[in-house]
């Protein structure tokens, strides 16, 4: 994640325009909380307790994050918007695909969404990060199982 954001932030500093980050993933995977924590870390330089109360994102949410002298405009698309995700691919500079790693059924459905997104022409040759969220959950799926379910050998 840091590498994708880092290379994009260096390009953004050179051309002075915001980096457009597309944040996608199924419902309830933690996209909103992840963005809140990234914004908090960019401001304070470290993770901190944040308000974890959220409601499902319906439609699109925008969040600006200033980090390393670069301006990231993050567009979070609600999980209910999966059919329209491709409309946003072309205008993005990079994509973050958030996955709930605490549930095997959610990993399986996320794999289908991920493979579909990776085939889209609008995301070709753009930085793309897969973020395994909820890794600290006591019921998380073991790493080896995550790699197998998500077909990481095929994806990477």
């Amino acid at each position: 994640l840091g590498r994708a954001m880092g290379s994009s932030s260096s390009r953004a500093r050179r051309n002075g325009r915001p980096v457009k980050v597309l944040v996608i993933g199924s419902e309830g995977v933690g996209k909103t909380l992840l963005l809140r924590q990234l914004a908090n870390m960019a401001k304070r330089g470290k993770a901190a307790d944040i308000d974890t109360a959220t409601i499902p994102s319906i439609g699109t949410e925008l969040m600006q994050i200033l980090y390393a002298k670069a301006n990231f405009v993050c567009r979070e698309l609600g999980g209910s918007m999966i059919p329209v995700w491709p409309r946003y691919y072309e205008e993005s500079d990079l994509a973050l695909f958030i996955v709930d790693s605490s549930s095997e059924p959610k990993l399986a459905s996320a794999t289908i969404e991920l493979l579909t997104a990776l085939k889209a022409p609008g995301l070709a040759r753009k930085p793309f990060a897969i973020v395994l969220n909820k890794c600290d959950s006591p019921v998380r799926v073991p790493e080896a199982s995550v790699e197998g379910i998500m077909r990481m050998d095929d994806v990477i």
Side-chain angles (χ1 to χ4, degrees):
L1 178 60
R3 195 174 340 180
M5 299 285 273
S7 65
S8 294
S9 68
S10 62
R11 281 193 303 268
R13 283 193 299 268
R14 284 194 299 269
N15 67 23
R17 70 171 187 82
V19 177
K20 296 176 184 175
V21 181
L22 183 63
V23 182
I24 55 178
S26 301
E27 291 182 34
V29 297
K31 297 179 297 290
T32 301
L33 289 177
L34 177 66
L35 287 175
R36 282 185 195 168
Q37 190 64 274
L38 288 173
N40 188 47
M41 291 171 67
K43 284 181 187 172
R44 294 187 170 85
K46 62 179 182 175
D49 290 336
I50 58 171
D51 179 13
T52 58
T54 63
I55 57 171
S57 298
I58 305 297
T60 182
E61 303 282 336
L62 289 175
M63 179 179 289
Q64 181 178 20
I65 299 174
L66 300 173
Y67 174 75
K69 299 181 183 177
N71 181 13
F72 294 91
V73 177
C74 301
R75 178 178 302 272
E76 174 193 345
L77 297 180
S80 62
M81 293 187 61
I82 293 171
V84 298
W85 285 358
R87 294 181 191 171
Y88 295 89
Y89 293 165
E90 193 65 44
E91 68 186 49
S92 66
D93 296 315
L94 66 100
L96 301 179
F97 187 84
I98 316 301
V99 178
D100 179 347
S101 66
S102 69
S103 163
E104 285 188 9
K106 287 184 179 181
L107 282 170
S109 64
T111 301
I112 295 167
E113 295 160 11
L114 171 64
L115 294 173
T116 302
L118 289 173
K119 290 179 185 175
L123 287 179
R125 293 182 296 258
K126 290 187 181 179
F128 192 98
I130 301 167
V131 180
L132 298 177
N133 206 9
K134 303 184 183 183
C135 292
D136 56 349
S137 170
V139 293
R140 70 184 173 275
V141 177
E143 185 177 338
S145 295
V146 170
E147 289 176 7
I149 292 168
M150 295 202 68
R151 299 175 46 190
M152 288 300 180
D153 287 340
D154 296 332
V155 171
I156 299 176

